[in-house]
Amino acid sequence: MNLAASGLVLCLTTVTLTGCGAVSGLAGDNEVTLKVVAADYGDKPENSSKPYWKELAASFEKKHPGIKVQVDVYSWTDVDAKVAEMVKAGEAPDIAQIGAYADYAAEGKLYSADELLSVTTEADFLAPLADAGKVRRNQYGLPFVASTRLMFYNEKLFADAGIIPKDGKTPWQPKSWAELEAAAKKLKAAGVPTPLALPLGREEAQAETMQWLLAGGGGYADNEENYSIDSADNVNTLKFLRDKLVGAGLTGPVEPAKLNRQDAFDSFSRGEVGMLNGHPTLLKQAAAKGVKYGMTPMPTADGAGHPTMGVADWVMAFKTGHQTQSGKFLDFLYEANNVTAFTEKYDLLPVTTSGSRAMEAATGASSAELKTFLHALPNARLYPVGKKSWAAVSEDVKKNIGTAVQPGGQPEKVLGDLAEMARKAEPR
């Protein structure tokens, strides 16, 4: 990625195209209606994703009068199950924008990227995201939007606790967990209800866990994408959380296993939390409540640099016989103006080089804050979403990881059980 304003460079994935273009036997453009299923990123009717897709479809149809586009938008609670139901009934949509693709790719139900996209579109994806969309080295998952994570901290609470000067001119820039622990102790001594929020409840425990594992030098998978859930680094990370943070009373009155991400965000926005890991949606929420906050990269176990966490949602095209038409729509979807129209509305990150350049060129306070997250993307590690077993592993993390960090918890056993389940769930 060539980020114009920062000078950061991210190499693009090299691609070989083998299947672009029309396929014999397909219906002509004049006979096709593409069925698209998408997730709703809004949390109320006023900011629903439906208008975006309606306008996108209308604009596409003007340029391709022979192809109609029917888009059905469902809540995140329902969309994955809806697509699974359609596929099971033999009525798969042409295109789905949902949370995971690997199951469908493993079953041979999806077109690969090089069977759909133009050279320009395929080469435009940011390399870490394109790589995360691969199964057996072929890309089936097309990244839709992305986000990274930074640590947010309440500037007033930090100043009152003597961690940063009250003039607000010197930001908090910790490198190590020792510095993080010291700050949490000062916040507790100053009477802050929750010095550090540790949301390991069901809502997004897999994300919070991955952030800490990466910062501890581990992760769910190694550099070859083999599971490494029960590695020594991961065990040590959970022991740090158990003994130095939770056991020391630095994570607040709600035990981590029962604290959900949004509840933690709400508490931060009420001024009750000193620091927590957050994604871009916290920007507006905290600002709306008048909370002055700072952001810093996640400190690490040894103070050295480790990858940060990235998250992407996915687009996939099912083998419905509309390969050419689906490819045309996807090329249109990934045009820079269409990408940025969506990411700007929901404070998310573009998944393409052209979209990243557009965000870099944008001005304003909101854009400046989003660029901080954007600059973390080149070094990001994503969930091992290319593994068919990941959905089951993620669910198991949500159910059990919180017990490992409670007083008396057993990190070795919890991670060992997770690793064994993952090995059994992953096809050979």
Side-chain angles (χ1 to χ4, degrees):
M1 179 171 63
N2 180 6
L3 299 176
S6 68
L8 292 174
V9 177
L10 175 65
C11 292
L12 293 172
T13 304
T14 300
V15 296
T16 301
L17 298 198
T18 59
C20 295
V23 173
S24 61
L26 291 181
D29 287 357
N30 293 332
E31 303 171 30
V32 169
T33 295
L34 292 178
K35 295 181 179 179
V36 180
V37 173
D40 196 340
Y41 285 73
D43 57 4
K44 51 185 179 292
E46 291 75 16
N47 67 350
S48 171
S49 303
K50 291 180 180 179
Y52 169 83
W53 287 103
K54 183 178 180 180
E55 293 171 12
L56 184 79
S59 296
F60 175 79
E61 289 175 355
K62 286 182 180 179
K63 293 187 176 182
H64 303 274
I67 309 175
K68 300 296 182 184
V69 180
Q70 173 190 320
V71 185
D72 293 315
V73 178
Y74 298 91
S75 71
W76 271 111
T77 305
D78 301 325
V79 68
D80 288 302
K82 181 63 178 178
V83 171
E85 177 185 309
M86 296 171 70
V87 172
K88 185 177 180 180
E91 299 175 350
D94 295 289
I95 294 169
Q97 183 270 299
I98 53 178
Y101 65 87
D103 280 6
Y104 300 123
E107 294 167 2
K109 297 182 182 297
L110 303 180
Y111 292 118
S112 61
D114 61 7
E115 292 176 314
L116 293 162
L117 304 176
S118 68
V119 173
T120 302
T121 301
E122 191 176 3
D124 200 25
F125 288 127
L126 301 179
L129 303 180
D131 288 343
K134 293 179 179 179
V135 173
R136 300 186 192 93
R137 300 184 180 181
N138 290 316
Q139 185 180 356
Y140 296 95
L142 313 180
F144 179 60
V145 290
S147 69
T148 54
R149 302 292 197 266
L150 294 171
M151 181 159 276
F152 285 68
Y153 62 94
N154 184 308
E155 290 184 341
K156 182 180 185 305
L157 297 181
F158 267 60
D160 291 346
I163 302 168
I164 60 174
K166 289 186 179 292
D167 61 14
K169 295 180 180 180
T170 305
W172 186 53
Q173 296 178 323
K175 298 296 183 182
S176 70
W177 285 353
E179 295 171 83
L180 180 147
E181 181 186 357
K185 288 179 176 178
K186 288 183 179 180
L187 291 166
K188 183 180 181 181
V192 175
T194 303
L196 182 145
L198 185 64
L200 295 177
R202 283 191 54 82
E203 181 184 348
E204 211 182 20
Q206 81 285 0
E208 183 72 17
T209 299
M210 184 171 173
Q211 289 169 262
W212 287 98
L213 297 184
L214 289 172
Y220 291 124
D222 59 25
N223 291 333
E224 280 70 48
E225 292 302 317
N226 298 309
Y227 279 126
S228 57
I229 296 172
D230 56 351
S231 69
D233 285 333
N234 290 346
V235 171
N236 289 335
T237 291
L238 295 192
K239 285 182 176 179
F240 170 80
L241 296 177
R242 180 193 66 186
D243 300 336
K244 300 296 186 179
L245 299 182
V246 180
L250 302 179
T251 55
V254 181
E255 63 180 274
K258 296 181 179 179
L259 181 63
N260 281 326
R261 171 77 65 197
Q262 189 56 54
D263 294 331
F265 281 12
D266 292 343
S267 294
F268 184 83
S269 299
R270 292 193 297 267
E272 301 166 356
V273 172
M275 52 184 155
L276 81 171
N277 291 314
H279 50 65
T281 59
L282 184 56
L283 296 171
K284 288 182 179 178
Q285 182 177 341
K289 297 294 184 179
V291 173
K292 292 186 177 181
Y293 56 83
M295 297 183 295
T296 184
M298 176 79 161
T300 65
D302 56 6
H306 292 297
T308 188
M309 175 186 156
V311 176
D313 297 325
W314 303 94
V315 171
M316 61 218 68
F318 286 87
K319 291 182 177 179
T320 59
H322 296 155
Q323 177 184 345
T324 301
Q325 295 84 3
S326 291
K328 289 179 179 179
F329 181 74
L330 291 170
D331 280 335
F332 184 75
L333 172 66
Y334 286 107
E335 290 180 7
N337 60 316
N338 293 327
V339 170
T340 55
F342 194 90
T343 56
E344 289 175 357
K345 181 174 182 178
Y346 294 105
D347 285 339
L348 293 166
L349 303 181
V351 298
T352 59
T353 300
S354 59
S356 298
R357 288 172 176 160
M359 179 173 282
E360 283 287 1
T363 58
S366 177
S367 296
E369 289 185 319
L370 278 176
K371 289 173 191 176
T372 306
F373 289 91
L374 182 67
H375 296 165
L377 197 55
N379 193 38
R381 288 286 298 274
L382 278 73
Y383 299 131
V385 289
K387 292 184 176 295
K388 186 176 181 180
S389 60
W390 170 244
V393 172
S394 176
E395 183 63 24
D396 221 33
V397 171
K398 292 179 183 180
K399 289 179 180 177
N400 299 309
I401 203 69
T403 65
V405 302
Q406 65 189 20
Q410 302 178 54
E412 295 99 331
K413 184 179 188 310
V414 171
L415 291 177
D417 289 346
L418 277 167
E420 181 63 19
M421 188 279 292
R423 282 189 284 266
K424 290 180 178 179
E426 185 65 17
R428 296 293 180 182

